[in-house]
Amino acid sequence: MTSAPTPDSDARRGAWETAYDNKQNFVFYPEEEVVRFVSRHLRQRQGLDTFRDVVPNAEGLKFLDAGCGIGRHLNMALTFGFDPYGFDLSESAVAVARDWLGKSGLAAPDSRIIQADIRDLPYDTAFFDCVISHAVLDSMPTAIARDGIAELARVLKPGGLFFCDFIGGGDHEEVITTEHEKGTLQSFFTPEKIDALLPDGFELIERVRTERTTTRSAHVHSRLHVTLRRL
């Protein structure tokens, strides 16, 4: 699927470049629910160098992080023995991820970690065994997320697993005006909105809701984590 750049997409990319240039999104540790997904559905770590495969031949499976940022989940995938690939809208994030993964031992990081638009990926159809996307699909307009998921479905093998998550608590979009991630867009989701977003061709495996309450303000931050299988 090919989507020509638009002034809006250029502005979105510029906002993310600024956020990464300011090191606002330099997150180094894997997200707990991503670790849980990998351990429950792909490969479980049992010792320093030992694993139990949940899916057959998990070692070397082709693993794509859609919106990889500086590469924290790619680094995790490498330690699990997967064959990691990643892309991000931000060139700044990609540069850091290539440096980090190269130092961690990933071969040819410049070709495996690329700058790309989620709607137009340079991968062959049915290339990946697994795709993850953490805190990405809710950081873009819903229409772009819908096209992006369709493109991720294209590059995922039949039977392959797709993990994604969304911020809960509503059904609206807003542009961030605070200094952190200023100018980026945040989309809020209900379970019904997520269901409407997903194209045909996926089987729902699991949906988990997590909540975190800020004691001082009593603000509740919720996320919806979804695991799907490509039919």
Side-chain angles (χ1 to χ4, degrees):
M1 180 182 299
T2 301
S3 303
T6 65
D8 177 65
S9 63
D10 288 343
R12 285 192 306 109
R13 179 176 173 184
W16 284 112
E17 293 291 5
T18 299
Y20 279 105
D21 287 343
N22 292 336
K23 296 182 171 57
Q24 294 176 353
N25 295 78
F26 276 37
V27 185
F28 295 94
Y29 299 103
E31 166 65 25
E32 181 180 352
E33 288 299 321
V34 175
V35 177
R36 179 179 177 274
F37 161 76
V38 169
S39 299
R40 184 183 179 106
H41 297 286
L42 299 177
R43 200 174 209 212
Q44 185 180 80
R45 190 164 210 155
Q46 296 187 320
L48 293 178
D49 300 303
T50 57
F51 298 87
R52 181 182 69 85
D53 287 354
V54 181
V55 296
N57 304 313
E59 185 172 8
L61 69 75
K62 293 192 181 303
F63 178 101
L64 175 66
D65 187 354
C68 64
I70 66 167
R72 58 175 170 156
H73 295 126
L74 295 176
N75 198 58
M76 180 193 73
L78 190 64
T79 67
F80 270 76
F82 302 149
D83 185 12
Y85 292 73
F87 71 87
D88 200 276
L89 190 63
S90 166
E91 287 276 15
S92 298
V94 166
V96 176
R98 286 172 171 172
D99 184 44
W100 185 9
L101 270 293
K103 291 176 179 176
S104 295
L106 179 67
D110 288 4
S111 62
R112 289 171 181 258
I113 306 172
I114 61 171
Q115 190 280 324
D117 188 306
I118 193 171
R119 298 167 292 176
D120 184 19
L121 301 177
Y123 310 117
D124 292 339
T125 297
F127 184 73
F128 293 102
D129 300 290
C130 171
V131 175
I132 70 161
S133 186
H134 166 62
V136 172
L137 295 168
D138 54 6
S139 295
M140 60 186 70
T142 304
I144 293 178
R146 181 178 295 108
D147 290 344
I149 291 174
E151 179 70 341
L152 294 176
R154 179 187 68 80
V155 304
L156 183 61
K157 294 178 181 178
L161 293 178
F162 176 36
F163 171 88
C164 55
D165 58 10
F166 306 86
I167 190 167
D171 184 5
H172 62 284
E173 299 176 354
E174 60 183 47
V175 176
I176 303 300
T177 57
T178 56
E179 282 307 308
H180 182 72
E181 298 183 355
K182 186 174 183 179
T184 66
L185 185 141
Q186 180 71 75
S187 296
F188 294 79
F189 285 81
T190 62
E192 294 75 19
K193 184 177 178 180
I194 294 172
D195 290 341
L197 184 70
L198 300 173
D200 294 335
F202 280 115
E203 172 191 8
L204 177 64
I205 302 299
E206 185 178 52
R207 179 153 49 202
V208 175
R209 180 188 183 96
T210 59
E211 291 188 352
R212 177 181 297 169
T213 303
T214 303
T215 304
R216 179 173 295 179
S217 66
H219 174 72
V220 178
H221 177 83
S222 66
R223 293 200 71 81
L224 300 165
H225 312 270
V226 182
T227 299
L228 305 157
R229 178 177 287 113
R230 184 80 166 93
L231 299 176

